[in-house]
Amino acid sequence: MPELPEVETVRRMLDESVRGLTIRSVALSGHRLREPIPATLPRRLRGRTIERVERTAKYLLIGLDRDLTILSHLGMSGRWLVLSPGQRLTLPHVHARIRFTDGTGLWFQDVRRFGLLRLVPTADLGRDPALARLGPDPVAEPPTGAGLRAVARGSRMAVKTFLMDQRRIAGLGNIYASEVLHRAGLDPRRHAGGLAPGEWEAVAAEIRAVLAEAIAGMGTTFSTYRTVWGEPGRYGESLRVYDRANEPCHRCGTPIRRIVQGQRSTFYCPSCQGGRSGPRRARAPRTPATRRAR
Ligand SMILES: [Zn+2]
């Protein structure tokens, strides 16, 4: 599932490739996504110009002139694809085809249809239920140890699950929560409310570092995520624990363990992340991991 770095990569590329373009036509597949795509979408978008492409957590906000925003979420498998003028492409599962007046195309493809395309008056974005319940975006508002600790006070939730709770901090998912905890040297099963101040400082620092590195690497591709030009993200080779069950920890050689927390896989090193004796900073050498293809 795309997380913040993947969505930020898409945002940057859309901002470069379609900002300033005016919509000539939109065609819909007629299939519903997480919720139905409004049937009025083609009529409401026609003639409008894309003025900005923004992101909050894992949501893309494609801002148009005259107070309208396309609020979009990639869900499990959604992709925005940019087609050059004249480019011909045959693809299944394309649910919206936007054509600009200069011939450029912008398609939304979603095999599993958990994605979202919603039209919201720009002035009302702050009240949209999808955005209103989100915690702070960790790129827009880089987390601090004290800030995370205050939010976690008294929480019996496992720290891995806590980091994925979009109401507390919005944008981390299964991949980056696992990576952050390995780098911070923390057992993912510990209660969030029980971490020491220094441990929260390590978590905050690693959230900032992992997100910056993953955005620089254009995100991680596991199954369907691609950039708007169809390229896979490059960050997968930098992952230290995610999807590496039974492979040796880059830092200590112990086999990486996979457990299930909140119906999601967690990957961690029982040696580097085993102790409760305070933070141990897992600074792995930067050797590229060999990854299973899947
Ligand atoms: Zn280890």
Side-chain angles (χ1 to χ4, degrees):
M1 182 190 280
E3 302 181 28
L4 188 154
E6 291 75 43
V7 180
E8 175 62 14
T9 300
V10 171
R11 185 201 69 77
R12 290 180 180 189
M13 290 185 150
L14 289 180
D15 193 58
E16 284 170 15
S17 52
V18 301
R19 180 161 49 83
L21 301 187
T22 299
I23 295 171
R24 182 164 65 197
S25 63
V26 184
L28 303 179
S29 69
H31 290 286
R32 65 173 286 151
L33 304 178
R34 177 192 310 191
E35 63 186 36
I37 302 174
T40 57
L41 188 140
R43 178 174 56 75
R44 293 177 72 190
L45 291 188
R46 198 176 310 131
R48 292 191 198 251
T49 299
I50 294 182
E51 290 187 334
R52 69 198 83 84
V53 185
E54 296 171 319
R55 180 193 57 73
T56 295
K58 304 179 201 175
Y59 288 87
L60 279 168
L61 292 75
I62 303 174
L64 303 148
D65 62 331
R66 288 171 283 146
D67 190 41
L68 195 64
T69 292
I70 304 171
L71 178 63
S72 166
H73 194 285
L74 302 179
M76 302 290 286
S77 59
R79 290 171 61 182
W80 283 102
L81 284 162
V82 175
L83 284 76
S84 307
Q87 185 181 351
R88 294 263 175 269
L89 197 58
T90 306
L91 274 183
H93 308 295
V94 176
H95 300 295
R97 295 165 199 258
I98 298 172
R99 182 63 64 185
F100 296 100
T101 53
D102 76 341
T104 299
L106 178 61
W107 290 4
F108 188 77
Q109 183 198 37
D110 192 352
V111 176
R112 298 184 62 182
R113 294 199 269 128
F114 287 105
L116 174 72
L117 289 183
R118 184 185 290 173
L119 292 181
V120 183
T122 304
D124 295 343
L125 275 172
R127 292 195 294 275
D128 188 273
L131 302 179
R133 60 171 179 255
L134 293 175
D137 179 285
V139 169
E141 300 174 56
T144 63
L148 291 174
R149 183 162 170 255
V151 177
R153 186 158 297 147
S155 173
R156 304 277 296 167
M157 193 182 276
V159 62
K160 159 77 170 3
T161 310
F162 176 88
L163 292 180
M164 290 175 59
D165 183 345
Q166 303 297 300
R167 294 167 301 178
R168 265 100 168 175
I169 177 167
L172 297 179
N174 220 22
I175 298 174
Y176 298 107
S178 286
E179 292 296 306
V180 163
L181 290 173
H182 181 261
R183 293 165 58 132
L186 291 170
D187 189 320
R189 299 165 296 183
R190 287 181 54 191
H191 294 153
L195 267 59
E199 293 175 322
W200 279 121
E201 290 299 337
V203 170
E206 298 299 353
I207 289 172
R208 299 191 300 263
V210 166
L211 292 179
E213 291 169 22
I215 290 168
M218 301 199 303
T220 303
T221 290
F222 271 95
S223 49
T224 53
Y225 161 73
R226 296 288 187 281
T227 73
V228 303
W229 300 112
E231 309 147 316
R234 294 191 305 261
Y235 191 69
E237 62 193 34
S238 304
L239 296 175
R240 301 179 187 192
V241 287
Y242 185 79
D243 201 38
R244 295 192 63 242
N246 302 315
E247 294 177 36
C249 172
H250 292 318
R251 181 175 176 269
C252 74
T254 304
I256 299 299
R257 189 174 292 171
R258 174 187 173 277
I259 57 173
V260 175
Q261 293 181 290
Q263 287 108 44
R264 306 295 302 278
S265 292
T266 296
F267 298 89
Y268 75 107
C269 171
S271 174
C272 294
Q273 298 172 253
R276 298 185 60 109
S277 54
R280 274 192 276 168
R281 303 297 295 267
R283 283 287 175 196
R286 287 170 181 270
T287 46
T290 49
R291 273 218 315 112
R292 252 183 320 119
R294 78 172 197 190

